[in-house]
């Protein structure tokens, strides 16, 4: 029989979110993050990104979406709480959704920052 994964206390979760995932928060037993987008195209891009990462990780969040936002909620249902799986997937989602190639200094330039026709997500400032 598989050993139950370690779940974190609310205090441990809050400390870890503050340190590693400052835009995520704990509410109702879930760690949560709302991504603001510039419209439906961006919303679908975020949903598909989260979906791909979740499927690859075999750890699936709850997602709620509207025209210009996506909320991602993570909780380990089998463990009945927040585990390392939730933190690791949240970090991967955060890094991928908010990746800005132009700021990395590599060959990839990213979408044009000055042309709103290409805007799809509202990056954190």
């Amino acid at each position: 029989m598989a050993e139950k994964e370690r779940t974190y206390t609310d205090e441990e979760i809050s400390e870890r979110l503050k340190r590693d995932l400052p835009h995520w928060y704990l509410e109702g037993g879930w760690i949560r993050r709302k991504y603001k987008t510039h419209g439906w195209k961006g919303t679908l891009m975020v949903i598909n990104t989260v979906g791909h990462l979740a499927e690859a990780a075999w750890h699936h969040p709850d997602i709620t979406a509207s025209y210009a936002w996506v909320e991602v909620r993570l909780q380990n249902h089998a463990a009945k709480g927040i585990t390392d799986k939730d933190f690791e997937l949240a970090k991967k989602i955060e890094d991928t959704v908010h990746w800005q190639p132009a700021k990395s200094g590599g060959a990839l330039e990213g979408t044009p920052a000055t042309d709103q026709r290409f805007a799809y997500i509202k990056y954190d400032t």
Side-chain angles (χ1 to χ4, degrees), residues 69-106:
W69 58 266
V70 177
E71 184 185 50
V72 179
R73 293 179 307 281
L74 286 163
Q75 177 190 86
N76 188 319
H77 300 288
K80 295 181 176 52
I82 305 300
T83 68
D84 287 325
K85 287 181 179 180
D86 302 298
F87 290 118
E88 289 181 28
L89 183 55
K91 180 71 171 137
K92 181 56 81 175
I93 291 167
E94 190 73 2
D95 291 347
T96 305
V97 169
H98 275 282
W99 178 49
Q100 295 180 63
K103 293 187 175 184
S104 300

Side-chain angles (χ1 to χ4, degrees), residues 44-87:
L44 292 176
M45 290 172 75
V46 171
I47 291 169
N48 286 322
T49 298
V50 171
H52 168 73
L53 295 172
E55 191 63 18
W58 202 244
H59 186 56
H60 304 95
D62 282 13
I63 298 172
T64 304
S66 189
Y67 177 77
W69 58 266
V70 177
E71 184 185 50
V72 179
R73 293 179 307 281
L74 286 163
Q75 177 190 86
N76 188 319
H77 300 288
K80 295 181 176 52
I82 305 300
T83 68
D84 287 325
K85 287 181 179 180
D86 302 298
F87 290 118

